[in-house]
Amino acid sequence: MHERERAGGSVLLTWGGGHCCALAGADPAAQAKEGVEANRSICKMLSMAAGAVVFFAVALSAATSGDTAVVEHTFIVSQVRMRHLCNDTLVTVVNGQFPGPALEATEGDTVVVHLVNQSPYGITIHWHGVKQRLTCWADGAGMITQCPIQPNTTFTYRFDVSGQEGTLWWHSHVSALRATLHGIIVIRPRSGTYPFPKPDVEVPVIIGEWWQRDLIKVDKNFSIGGSFDDNPAAATINGKLGDLYNCSGVAEDNFVLDVEPGKTYLLRLVNAALFSEYYFKVAGHKLTVVGADASYLRPFTTEVVAVAAGETIDVLMVADAPPCRYYMAALANQPPVPDPQIPVFISRGVVQYNNIPSDAQNCTEKSPLMPEMPDQHDTITTFYFHGNLTGLQQPGGGHPLLPQVRGRVDERLFLTLGKGSMCTHNKTSCKRGGSNESFEVAYINNVSFHLPETTAVLEARYYGSGVAVEQLPSMPPRAFNFTDTALIPVVPGREMEALEPTRKATTTRRFAHNAPVEVVFQSTATMQSDSNPMHLHGHDFFVLAQGHGNYDAGRDVRSYNLVDPPMKNTVQVPRLGWAAIRFVADNPGAWFLHCHFEFHMAMGMAAVFEVDNGPTLETTLPPPPSDLPKCTR
């Protein structure tokens, strides 16, 4: 654990770092020789890079103002062996860490990350939630904005973090490797002050999963029809499985947060899990929500926080309970039967007060107090939690883009999110309903996204050739009762010919520069009834409303919040419900839109939003960088 003093006097605590030669989560006695050698190589390269970074930063500070800076990192991607649950697992990580290193910056800074790929896989890194204003080439969406960085090659990401403050995160965007290839991004205000009481300590809390399977194969299994036998082994908090998991009677380590009575802690929550939304609670403590997705919110106090896959939530916790030990817990939720069920995943850490009185026998002799968690099938708590999010009014009025989305809307999309099927061997007709003549896919408006294989979408757009695309339909092919629970079970022989058929295509939707766009996402009950955490790259959007059942424009537009809607980059579309968003298409490029459940994305619940250049040089996407990776070496 490390402490770093920051402007304004607060302290950031980070875990999983340490000296690069001490593998986070690894059992040194169990490390294979090749893992040790790989780690030594990482250390050597990091040491060499560190000297270059120091020289670069010193040279730059003399040439720039004190308001902004260049934040430079070297990310070395490699494989190491880590031991959990009595198993040694080969995992792909950055700088030997799980989770990976924190990226800290101040609003307005320029970030430079040199990625060195020593893994056997093609890698990209997506800077989740960073707007990438005119830097679409650095967005890191594999085969959308760039080809993967091939093994034993390098690529440098360069982008600014402007107009955003709060918590974001970074992760791999090739296959399911983001399960272990991820870390937090912290963007602090340039003024050094927050629009809420100054926290004494800032704490990253990354909720994730521990996998003991080949993640490349996991992703492949889903891309060819889904396999609900592929599940993680455990949930994690900051890379720790917690003492609910044990092997041969030895409990796994807990993440431990030491606190001092009376101090305020800013918990920066990140859901990095592949599969699930999580409920988060701390026994004996209330949490005040103050931000989400690097945007400030009107504060509200709650006992439970719902963090959707891909989402970040900032909460304040005051250490005002009797000095003792308390569990913090993260519990995955899921829809009830008849949806396919996965094991219950829960991880817990410990909030531990300093200087616990020696006579506090109830504290020292017993296990920490465990919070009462919602039921794993409770999907109402998250609905109301996300419905409570409202934007924080800025001095002088609301967000500058609010007037634009309150006015005319140039583009309206109604996007149904669900599962369908395709015939095997490219047949045009087949039996469905779970027949082996067909396989399951996920879709948006009955089109399952096909990821290009030889040319990235953005390169094809820039050079005018290379990828065959179709326009994303603005409506589903047919209207039906989208939330009819009778559609959930996949029943052999049931007549689903009208609803299941889906096709594969690389779908894009093109918007004129500066066009106001409204998207209504409708979750469906077709062959499942999951919620859908929909993430849009390159833009924040206003979440105007959400509801259960089928969206009805004549009725539901009246519920839109056009006064203080929250600004997000990921919206939790409720199970058997809908969510309405608006954004201004003001950032030229090709931007991935997808569900952040890995199995939904791998199965095709995705599309690309293309935004045209504006009329000036300042609104035109520059050419690609000279070191942009090629799809083949």
Side-chain angles (χ1 to χ4, degrees):
M1 184 170 67
H2 305 282
E3 293 190 6
R4 277 176 274 182
E5 291 290 343
R6 303 298 299 173
S10 64
V11 173
L12 174 73
L13 303 185
T14 60
W15 286 265
H19 192 273
C20 67
C21 294
L23 294 180
D27 181 350
Q31 287 179 24
K33 181 178 180 181
E34 61 268 24
V36 174
E37 292 303 319
N39 199 43
R40 288 173 180 162
S41 175
I42 293 171
C43 290
K44 182 178 179 181
M45 296 192 71
L46 282 173
S47 297
M48 294 172 63
V53 171
V54 170
F55 173 79
F56 183 83
V58 171
L60 196 71
S61 64
T64 60
S65 70
D67 291 337
T68 61
V70 172
V71 177
E72 190 165 15
H73 286 263
T74 296
F75 279 13
I76 299 178
V77 180
S78 68
Q79 291 190 302
V80 299
R81 293 191 181 276
M82 295 185 180
R83 187 169 182 82
H84 289 293
L85 303 177
C86 289
N87 286 293
D88 295 326
T89 303
L90 190 64
V91 296
T92 308
V93 293
V94 167
N95 296 354
Q97 303 174 26
F98 169 61
L103 194 162
E104 301 174 56
T106 299
E107 189 276 327
D109 285 352
T110 296
V111 175
V112 178
V113 179
H114 308 287
L115 191 139
V116 180
N117 186 9
Q118 293 186 342
S119 81
Y121 310 119
I123 297 294
T124 70
I125 298 293
H126 170 53
W127 316 96
H128 182 114
V130 174
K131 291 181 181 178
Q132 299 289 358
R133 183 71 59 187
L134 297 180
T135 53
C136 188
W137 302 105
D139 188 53
M143 300 311 301
I144 305 299
T145 62
Q146 69 168 96
C147 298
I149 304 161
Q150 297 300 313
N152 301 314
T153 64
T154 65
F155 175 60
T156 297
Y157 291 97
R158 294 180 176 86
F159 54 89
D160 295 336
V161 287
S162 299
Q164 296 177 279
E165 298 174 7
T167 305
L168 299 172
W169 64 300
W170 59 263
H171 60 81
S172 172
H173 217 300
V174 172
S175 187
L177 293 174
R178 67 178 171 87
T180 52
L181 275 173
H182 62 253
I184 197 168
I185 300 174
V186 176
I187 307 173
R188 291 188 174 79
R190 201 181 309 189
S191 65
T193 60
Y194 299 112
F196 47 77
K198 182 183 73 174
D200 298 292
V201 182
E202 301 179 22
V203 185
V205 179
I206 302 177
I207 300 167
E209 297 160 341
W210 178 250
W211 286 80
Q212 296 184 158
R213 292 178 179 261
D214 184 330
L215 291 169
I216 299 296
K217 290 182 179 179
V218 168
D219 199 75
K220 180 68 172 176
N221 288 344
F222 282 115
S223 69
I224 59 175
S227 170
F228 285 93
D229 293 330
D230 286 326
N231 290 306
T236 62
I237 295 177
N238 287 337
K240 305 290 188 180
L241 280 62
D243 58 11
L244 287 173
Y245 300 94
N246 71 80
C247 173
S248 300
V250 179
E252 288 277 342
D253 290 339
N254 291 106
F255 162 66
V256 178
L257 173 60
D258 292 312
V259 301
E260 294 185 30
K263 285 195 172 183
T264 299
Y265 294 79
L266 174 59
L267 307 183
R268 297 183 178 272
L269 305 179
V270 177
N271 184 348
L274 298 187
F275 266 34
S276 302
E277 179 183 32
Y278 277 80
Y279 288 129
F280 178 84
K281 294 184 74 173
V282 180
H285 296 74
K286 292 187 181 297
L287 304 171
T288 300
V289 179
V290 294
D293 292 354
S295 291
Y296 295 120
L297 298 173
R298 179 179 296 165
F300 70 93
T301 300
T302 178
E303 292 186 349
V304 60
V305 173
V307 193
E311 189 177 34
T312 67
I313 302 286
D314 291 339
V315 300
L316 295 176
M317 182 189 78
V318 179
D320 56 2
C324 195
R325 298 168 67 237
Y326 301 86
Y327 277 123
M328 63 168 64
L331 169 71
N333 67 30
Q334 63 176 317
V337 173
D339 272 73
Q341 297 294 289
I342 64 175
V344 179
F345 292 110
I346 183 170
S347 182
R348 62 188 185 186
V350 175
V351 173
Q352 179 172 277
Y353 278 72
N354 295 335
N355 302 318
I356 297 174
S358 59
D359 60 352
Q361 293 183 355
N362 289 338
C363 176
T364 58
E365 296 179 359
K366 295 183 178 180
S367 296
L369 181 66
M370 180 68 182
E372 183 177 348
M373 302 301 290
D375 185 83
Q376 64 152 330
H377 294 125
D378 175 359
T379 58
I380 297 298
T381 296
T382 176
F383 179 83
Y384 286 115
F385 175 84
H386 285 97
N388 277 336
L389 304 183
T390 54
L392 183 67
Q393 289 283 3
Q394 299 181 4
H399 192 280
L401 290 179
L402 258 179
Q404 199 164 345
V405 300
R406 286 178 182 141
R408 77 177 197 282
V409 175
D410 291 351
E411 299 275 356
R412 296 181 188 271
L413 302 179
F414 180 73
L415 304 182
T416 53
L417 313 171
K419 287 172 66 179
S421 65
M422 295 179 61
C423 298
T424 57
H425 309 299
N426 295 318
K427 292 180 180 178
T428 56
S429 63
C430 60
K431 293 181 180 178
R432 302 181 188 272
S435 165
N436 59 11
E437 294 184 18
S438 62
F439 62 94
E440 292 184 18
V441 294
Y443 65 65
I444 297 179
N445 284 353
N446 286 83
V447 184
S448 182
F449 187 79
H450 172 70
L451 200 65
E453 298 175 0
T454 59
T455 305
V457 173
L458 185 59
E459 285 188 277
R461 161 201 162 108
Y462 190 83
Y463 294 111
S465 63
V467 177
V469 301
E470 293 186 16
Q471 178 168 274
L472 175 70
S474 59
M475 297 285 289
R478 60 186 55 80
F480 60 97
N481 181 2
F482 301 115
T483 56
D484 181 358
T485 56
L487 301 174
I488 297 173
V490 180
V491 180
R494 184 177 64 182
E495 184 60 44
M496 288 283 286
E497 294 296 323
L499 301 180
E500 276 193 41
T502 303
R503 72 179 194 278
K504 280 276 186 186
T506 303
T507 45
T508 68
R509 188 77 181 199
R510 194 149 190 164
F511 303 117
H513 184 265
N514 220 33
V517 179
E518 176 175 305
V519 180
V520 175
F521 296 108
Q522 173 74 60
S523 292
T524 72
T526 52
M527 303 169 68
Q528 54 89 64
S529 68
D530 249 321
S531 59
N532 294 280
M534 299 302 294
H535 172 52
L536 175 61
H537 294 213
H539 294 78
D540 283 343
F541 48 73
F542 295 102
V543 181
L544 302 185
Q546 62 171 7
H548 282 125
N550 300 322
Y551 176 79
D552 181 335
R555 174 195 66 206
D556 294 324
V557 167
R558 294 194 294 271
S559 69
Y560 281 13
N561 176 7
L562 294 171
V563 177
D564 56 358
M567 181 75 91
K568 300 292 301 301
N569 63 60
T570 302
V571 59
Q572 178 74 339
V573 185
R575 173 181 183 261
L576 301 178
W578 56 269
I581 69 169
R582 285 184 188 172
F583 68 98
V584 177
D586 58 357
N587 193 9
W591 305 105
F592 210 21
L593 168 73
H594 61 89
C595 182
H596 226 276
F597 288 148
E598 184 64 28
F599 63 103
H600 277 177
M601 183 170 67
M603 295 174 73
M605 193 178 290
V608 175
F609 282 178
E610 293 191 72
V611 178
D612 288 340
N613 288 323
T616 66
L617 185 63
E618 291 73 24
T619 56
T620 299
L621 181 68
S626 59
D627 62 340
L628 189 71
K630 306 297 181 184
C631 283
T632 56
R633 284 185 282 180

